[in-house]
Amino acid sequence: LCPHGLHKKHATHPFPDQSVIITLLSRRAFFRILHQAGGKRMHVLIIEDDAEVASYIAQNLQDHGHSSKTASDGKAGLAEATGGSYDVIIVDRMLPGVDGLKIVKTLRSTGNTTPALFLSALGEIGNRVEGLTSGGDDYLVKPFAFAELLARLELLAGRNKPSNASEMILTSRDL
C-alpha cells in the first residue's frame, strides 16, 4: 500500500490475447479523489463521551471522505460547536458536564442553525420527541448502523447548504 492509499491489482482481459493492468483504488483514496473533484465533503462535530463510539464514527467518516472533530463532554462540545464551523453536529443526549439537550437549546437560542443529530441510547418515543422539540433536526437510537447514520448526516448537511438558483436548470419533454 503506497502512502496515498493506492494499490495495483493485475487482472487479465476477457480475451486471452490481450491483457490489461487495472489499477484499483482503496476505498479511502477513491473518496479522497471524489471529493477533490467537487464531491460533497462534510465536516462533522461528534459530541460523544464513549470514546469507542466516537472513534468508530470518526474513522468511518474519514473512510467515506469526510472530516470530523470529537469532544468527549458537553462543556467542550458546546464550546467547539459555538466556536467552530461544521456542516452537521452529532450529539449524545447523556453527556458529562452539559447534556445534549442543553447543548442544542443553547445553540438554537444563539442563532446557530447547524443541523444537529441526536445519537442516543435513550430511545423511547418521549425521549425522541424531546430531542426534536429541543431543536434537534434528527434523532437516531443506539445501537445504529453506520450506513443509516451517514445517510442522515448527508441529508442534513445538504439541507443546510444555500441553494444557488442561478445554477438551477429546468428541463421538460415535448408535450
Side-chain angles (χ1 to χ4, degrees):
L1 194 63
C2 78
H4 302 292
L6 303 173
H7 64 277
K8 290 185 178 183
K9 188 170 186 175
H10 301 280
T12 56
H13 195 273
F15 302 104
D17 60 336
Q18 298 175 343
S19 64
V20 199
I21 296 176
I22 300 174
T23 302
L24 299 175
L25 300 174
S26 72
R27 182 181 182 121
R28 186 172 292 161
F30 170 77
F31 285 107
R32 187 179 309 117
I33 291 168
L34 173 69
H35 294 296
Q36 288 172 350
K40 294 179 183 178
R41 178 183 163 107
M42 292 185 294
H43 187 50
V44 180
L45 175 60
I46 304 164
I47 308 173
E48 171 63 62
D49 62 328
D50 184 328
E52 191 174 318
V53 172
S55 177
Y56 170 77
I57 295 169
Q59 183 61 53
N60 277 284
L61 285 170
Q62 183 180 0
D63 289 348
H64 285 81
H66 306 292
S67 62
S68 64
K69 182 158 186 171
T70 59
S72 60
D73 63 65
K75 186 176 179 182
L78 181 57
E80 187 59 42
T82 56
S85 177
Y86 297 93
D87 295 306
V88 66
I89 302 170
I90 299 172
V91 187
D92 188 4
R93 286 272 314 258
M94 300 180 292
L95 293 164
V98 180
D99 75 3
L101 290 176
K102 179 74 172 165
I103 290 171
V104 174
K105 285 179 182 178
T106 302
L107 292 173
R108 298 303 180 244
S109 71
T110 61
N112 187 321
T113 60
T114 304
L117 180 142
F118 281 107
L119 183 63
S120 178
L122 299 175
E124 298 295 319
I125 291 187
N127 299 127
R128 291 181 283 177
V129 169
E130 187 177 23
L132 295 170
T133 57
S134 73
D137 297 283
D138 201 353
Y139 198 108
L140 185 60
V141 178
K142 296 176 188 174
F144 61 94
F146 181 79
E148 181 180 7
L149 175 63
L150 182 61
R152 290 171 182 252
L153 293 174
E154 288 174 344
L155 181 66
L156 290 172
R159 282 187 191 156
N160 201 40
K161 302 259 190 242
S163 66
N164 188 345
S166 65
E167 293 181 14
M168 186 182 300
I169 300 172
L170 300 174
T171 59
S172 176
R173 295 183 293 156
D174 292 336
L175 299 176

